[in-house]
């Protein structure tokens, strides 16, 4: 199994090209199940999760062709997805257990075929992550749902009908699932207290290009008037705001100065505000923005994760890694997932001073971290260890690199190009 070795100490300098968003690409790919017409997606990153989604869609009957991207030297892909006929309405356990986003096929399949059988994803490293809201929303739209042998079996033989559904809790995935299903439902669906993440806006804009009738895009109330069929469309995936924020923190921890090409500050307002408070400078450029920590100081800053536009849970671990080297203390509170501090014991092994109190972690900055052999159980926790390693003395060896490969395109190449001493060890 691959490992990544990092020797800390180098200041990152130069430029990094931000890839297309993983969490936008996955639902966008699923949207191809809603139509027999082709959907062309540009700027899709090359990641293990994208390959898993291709595998899932192919077994549902989607023809997928990949062409090299047109995005400068980035290795992004253009995907053409065509689902002339649905070959199977079952999403099997073997694929769903590997990637929870597989559950997004539930709404589109039942909307198009009147039935779907999707494995329940089960628990995961960062929390229990139930799918009750996906189910309740489809029930409100007239689907009957049974649980059978670990599978969600949804049926709507006469099609889904428009409904008003108020999410009792903000959920990115449930909003995406119901938004897609509503595009083919009869009548008007109103989704209230919907998630407003930029990935949802990207999905809604692509669905609109496919002929869906959606208003309220980017707000917490989405109104969708169902149509009989959707048309071919071409869409370019937004840049990955979590990858962008991750590299911004990597630059900050090394007191570096890097241009994040294609990075969009407007998708990261809350994180950028916190990083500015910590002493990091951001400057807009013609092709993205520049992030730098030139004046030395890195201040401890408190953060609480919240649904968008709040501070993203997907940047919490990386921010904590940065704060281990801050001056003073930083209180980091996780409100989205109940078990998203698995990076803490590993950061502690590198010399960080962190105490967990319930949903909060108190980080007291230390003057030095030391390299160690570390591993993590999820994507963002893994990358937080890479950030800590960049500022540690000596070598860090990161195990279980497959977590990183699920969500970061060529991490070691991008960091090495900016001067990091980093290599993948086969
Ligand atoms: C998406 O997961 C992202 N994944 C996650 O990114 C991200 O952390 C999360 O949104 C929050 O921003 C993708 O986009 C593929 P949720 P999702 O439904 O949709 C609870 C990464 O590292 N909930 O918004 O699964 C749930 O348990 C990943 O790239 C219910 O209770 O997240 C959680 O506490 C990790 N019932 C909260 O809501 C439900 O039916 C938010 O989850 C659904 C969710």
């Amino acid at each position: 199994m691959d490992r990544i070795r990092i020797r800390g100490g180098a200041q990152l300098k130069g430029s990094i090209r931000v890839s297309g968003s993983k969490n936008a690409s996955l639902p966008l790919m699923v949207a191809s199940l809603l139509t027999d017409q082709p959907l062309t997606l540009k700027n899709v990153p090359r990641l293990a999760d994208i390959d898993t989604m291709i595998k899932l869609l192919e077994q549902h009957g989607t023809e997928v062709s990949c062409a090299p991207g047109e995005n400068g030297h980035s290795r992004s892909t253009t995907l053409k997805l065509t689902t002339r006929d649905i070959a199977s309405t079952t999403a099997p356990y073997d694929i769903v257990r590997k990637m929870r986003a597989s559950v997004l096929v539930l709404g589109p399949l039942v909307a198009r075929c009147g039935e779907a059988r999707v494995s329940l994803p089960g628990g995961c490293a960062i929390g229990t992550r139930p799918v009750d809201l996906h189910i309740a929303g489809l029930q409100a739209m007239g689907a009957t749902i049974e649980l059978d042998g670990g599978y969600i079996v949804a049926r709507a033989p006469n099609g889904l009908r428009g409904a008003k559904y108020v999410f009792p809790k903000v959920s990115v995935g449930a909003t995406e699932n119901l938004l897609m299903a509503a595009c083919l439902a009869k009548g008007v669906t109103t989704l209230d207290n919907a998630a407003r993440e930029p990935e949802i806006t990207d999905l809604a804009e692509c669905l609109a290009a496919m002929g869906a009738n959606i208003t309220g895009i980017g707000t917490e109330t989405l109104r969708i008037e169902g149509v009989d069929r959707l048309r071919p469309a071409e869409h370019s995936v937004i840049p990955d705001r979590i990858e962008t924020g991750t590299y911004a923190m990597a630059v900050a921890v090394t007191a570096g100065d890097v241009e994040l090409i294609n990075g969009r500050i407007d998708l990261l307002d809350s994180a950028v505000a916190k990083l500015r408070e910590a002493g990091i400078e951001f400057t807009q450029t013609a092709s993205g923005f520049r992030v730098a920590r030139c004046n030395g100081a890195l201040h401890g800053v408190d953060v609480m994760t919240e649904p968008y536009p709040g501070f993203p849970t997907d940047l919490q671990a990386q921010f904590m890694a940065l704060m281990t080297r801050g001056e003073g203390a930083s209180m980091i509170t996780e409100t989205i997932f109940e078990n998203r501090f698995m990076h803490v014991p590993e950061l502690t092994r590198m010399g960080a001073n962190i105490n967990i109190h319930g949903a909060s972690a108190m980080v007291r900055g230390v003057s030095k971290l030391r390299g160690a052999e570390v591993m993590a159980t999820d994507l963002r926790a893994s990358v937080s260890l890479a950030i800590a390693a960049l500022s540690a003395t000596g070598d860090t060896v990161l195990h279980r690199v497959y977590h990183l490969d699920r969500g970061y395109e060529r991490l070691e190449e991008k960091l090495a190009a900016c001067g990091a001493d980093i290599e993948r060890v086969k």
Side-chain angles (χ1 to χ4, degrees):
M1 225 180 279
D2 291 6
R3 285 160 291 153
I4 285 181
R5 186 201 55 78
I6 300 170
R7 174 162 297 174
Q11 284 182 307
L12 299 183
K13 296 262 162 75
S15 65
I16 294 177
R17 189 174 287 267
V18 175
S19 300
S21 161
K22 164 179 87 79
N23 288 348
S25 297
L26 295 171
L28 283 165
M29 291 166 72
V30 172
S32 70
L33 293 177
L34 291 167
T35 172
D36 58 0
Q37 299 295 309
L39 173 63
T40 304
L41 298 176
K42 294 179 168 178
N43 199 32
V44 177
R46 290 204 171 171
L47 297 169
D49 273 10
I50 300 295
D51 292 339
T52 306
M53 183 57 86
I54 289 177
K55 217 163 129 193
L56 177 65
L57 293 176
E58 281 179 339
Q59 67 86 47
H60 287 308
T62 308
E63 278 170 38
V64 183
S65 66
C66 309
E70 301 151 13
N71 194 3
H73 64 255
S74 159
R75 291 194 195 152
S76 70
T77 315
T78 296
L79 289 184
K80 187 172 171 197
L81 305 127
T82 313
T83 318
R84 271 185 207 96
D85 297 297
I86 300 283
S88 161
T89 53
T90 297
Y93 175 67
D94 230 31
I95 301 184
V96 181
R97 77 184 164 85
K98 280 196 203 126
M99 189 182 65
R100 300 182 57 86
S102 309
V103 83
L104 293 175
V105 302
L106 181 66
L109 286 175
V110 75
R112 179 159 165 193
C113 306
E115 60 169 52
R117 208 175 120 79
V118 175
S119 173
L120 273 166
C124 97
I126 59 176
T128 48
R129 302 182 77 183
V131 288
D132 54 319
L133 307 178
H134 302 239
I135 291 175
L138 287 173
Q139 282 173 325
M141 294 169 78
T144 59
I145 309 256
E146 271 177 70
L147 297 182
D148 176 29
Y151 280 74
I152 308 164
V153 182
R155 288 193 189 90
N158 301 317
L160 293 171
R161 51 169 198 268
K164 181 173 168 60
Y165 184 70
V166 183
F167 290 95
K169 175 176 189 175
V170 178
S171 162
V172 174
T175 301
E176 291 165 345
N177 221 333
L178 299 183
L179 170 63
M180 288 191 276
C183 291
L184 295 183
K186 291 186 193 80
V188 173
T189 299
T190 310
L191 301 176
D192 241 326
N193 197 27
R196 288 180 281 162
E197 268 64 6
E199 294 74 23
I200 293 172
T201 300
D202 206 35
L203 173 64
E205 280 169 358
C206 176
L207 291 167
M210 292 164 74
N213 201 337
I214 307 172
T215 53
I217 295 177
T219 74
E220 62 179 25
T221 304
L222 293 165
R223 185 183 179 280
I224 306 109
E225 194 172 340
V227 294
D228 289 338
R229 57 194 312 260
L230 296 170
R231 54 176 185 252
E234 190 175 292
H235 179 82
S236 187
V237 178
I238 51 168
D240 196 311
R241 68 192 166 102
I242 304 301
E243 190 199 20
T244 309
T246 301
Y247 286 123
M249 294 185 210
V251 173
V253 86
T254 68
D257 184 345
V258 168
E259 185 179 11
L260 296 177
I261 295 168
N262 292 339
R264 277 180 54 184
I265 288 192
D266 61 310
L267 302 182
L268 270 173
D269 281 342
S270 58
V272 166
K274 287 294 175 185
L275 288 168
R276 282 192 164 129
E277 230 179 294
I280 321 302
E281 292 162 33
F282 290 84
T283 328
Q284 195 80 48
T285 62
S287 45
F289 65 87
R290 192 181 136 211
V291 54
R293 175 159 73 90
C294 300
N295 300 326
L298 176 64
H299 309 290
V301 170
D302 295 346
V303 146
M304 182 186 284
T305 63
E306 283 172 330
Y308 191 83
F311 189 95
T313 173
D314 288 347
L315 286 175
Q316 178 260 108
Q318 300 91 314
F319 193 78
M320 191 181 297
L322 176 64
M323 288 293 104
T324 63
R325 299 300 314 278
E327 281 172 19
S330 159
M331 173 79 93
I332 299 182
T333 305
E334 172 60 52
T335 72
I336 309 291
F337 291 109
E338 68 273 22
N339 188 26
R340 213 172 194 185
F341 284 147
M342 292 88 54
H343 40 288
V344 171
E346 297 299 284
L347 290 171
T348 306
R349 292 182 56 244
M350 297 175 73
N353 180 348
I354 308 171
N355 287 296
I356 298 179
H357 307 273
S360 296
M362 173 59 82
V363 186
R364 292 188 175 84
V366 293
S367 58
K368 189 171 165 183
L369 293 176
R370 289 176 303 273
E373 297 214 27
V374 289
M375 64 180 191
T377 41
D378 89 299
L379 167 61
R380 311 302 172 187
S382 287
V383 85
S384 78
L385 301 177
I387 290 175
L390 288 170
S391 82
T393 51
D395 280 6
T396 296
V397 178
L398 192 57
H399 294 262
R400 299 199 181 166
V401 168
Y402 54 85
H403 289 299
L404 274 182
D405 293 337
R406 288 187 60 173
Y408 289 93
E409 198 176 31
R410 299 177 295 116
L411 175 99
E412 69 278 15
E413 278 181 43
K414 290 188 183 190
L415 289 174
C418 292
D421 183 347
I422 180 170
E423 64 173 348
R424 184 178 287 253
V425 185
K426 295 277 177 193

